[in-house]
Amino acid sequence: MLGHASELAFSPSEPPPMSVALVSQYGLRPVQLSGFATRLVTEPWEIRSSDDVVLFHGTDMARNLVRFLAGAEAGLPPVAVLAPWLDWDDVSAAFDHGAVSYLLENQYACFLDEALRCAAHGASMLDPWIAAEQVRIASRARAGARAGTGARTTGGEGGRARPEAITTLMATPITKVPPAVVPPAVTALEGCSRLSERECRLMDLLASGRDVHDIARGMFLSEKTVRNYLSRIYKKLDVHSQTEAILRWLGHLKTPLPG
């Protein structure tokens, strides 16, 4: 019976759990973290090549991320952040230094497992508050570009200044974050310059979660016309699906350089 249980526990058909290096301000594993091979680390040299993702847990984690980048000779695996509250300075700095997922310890922290799996595969998951602000930032940036104005700074959470040009996330596959290298910023403005004003409006609606039927009603177009617009938009943005178009529109997918 013991032998049978052992075979079940170590079945070769089951993949080993993901390896998570945890940098925690509190010295504890987050209660939302389960199903991973997790170990606490305090120094960059403790990061292993076999680690799938590094999770920074606590306040002002961007500073710790910078320290780890400077001390990790081989670079870092994909990075995720779990913070107790929203600090726009920390969000911006974390993205600037390669973080691909950022969650808050609120009702959405239950998605931490999914965020880590996404990060390990080079994809991004954001707390809904941050994602919503990214949409607003992209919309304001495009409106400012059309009006010939630059980015401004607005009041953020708790009265902190919040830049309107927070560096966007990368959705391209990532294996290692190079030490002390800041990924290039990609903004929605790159795609906007290729689209007409009506196409920009259509993409705003699409990125806000509207489907073809809703967009057609809102823009007083037929659904066939909307689909024709989308086909042209896909070509201009060099994408092949609605998901890719939205990611590129919001700055989460790097725009290829013109050939």
Side-chain angles (χ1 to χ4, degrees), residues 100 112 122 140 198 256:
V100 295
L112 179 60
R140 286 196 297 267
R198 174 163 284 194

Side-chain angles (χ1 to χ4, degrees), residues 33-240:
L33 189 60
S34 61
F36 298 97
T38 307
R39 73 182 194 287
L40 285 167
V41 299
T42 58
E43 299 298 333
W45 56 264
E46 296 179 88
I47 301 297
R48 301 171 182 169
S49 60
S50 58
D51 288 329
D52 295 295
V53 65
V54 181
L55 174 63
F56 288 84
H57 178 215
T59 60
D60 204 18
M61 283 292 102
R63 290 182 182 272
N64 253 325
L65 173 54
V66 172
R67 179 172 70 87
F68 268 70
L69 282 171
E73 294 183 359
L76 295 179
V79 169
V81 178
L82 178 66
W85 56 73
L86 182 55
D87 180 340
W88 287 109
D89 290 340
D90 192 65
V91 172
S92 181
F95 290 166
D96 282 348
H97 291 87
V100 295
S101 291
Y102 201 113
L103 292 182
L104 304 178
E105 291 185 278
N106 53 23
Q107 68 267 36
Y108 302 110
C110 59
F111 295 107
L112 179 60
D113 289 3
E114 287 81 357
L116 294 178
R117 291 189 179 92
C118 285
H121 291 90
S124 302
M125 182 174 285
L126 289 176
D127 179 271
W129 288 101
I130 299 174
E133 183 64 10
Q134 287 283 72
V135 173
R136 288 192 290 268
I137 289 167
S139 297
R140 286 196 297 267
R142 288 192 296 275
R146 289 195 289 266
T149 60
R152 300 182 302 276
T153 300
T154 59
E157 190 79 6
R160 301 178 69 93
R162 180 178 71 244
E164 288 203 17
I166 292 179
T167 304
T168 55
L169 301 180
M170 298 178 297
T172 50
I174 300 168
T175 53
K176 292 287 183 180
V177 178
V181 173
V182 178
V186 181
T187 70
L189 293 174
E190 296 177 356
C192 182
S193 62
R194 306 180 186 181
L195 305 185
S196 68
E197 185 173 349
R198 174 163 284 194
E199 289 169 339
C200 287
R201 172 61 179 158
L202 192 153
M203 283 306 304
D204 281 336
L205 293 171
L206 190 67
S208 69
R210 311 290 175 84
D211 59 19
V212 170
H213 177 71
D214 291 336
I215 293 172
R217 290 185 60 187
M219 297 184 68
F220 302 100
L221 301 171
S222 70
E223 293 186 20
K224 181 179 179 180
T225 300
V226 171
R227 292 192 178 92
N228 289 339
Y229 268 116
L230 286 174
S231 295
R232 291 196 291 270
I233 289 171
Y234 294 169
K235 290 180 181 179
K236 290 182 179 181
L237 297 183
D238 193 21
V239 298
H240 302 90

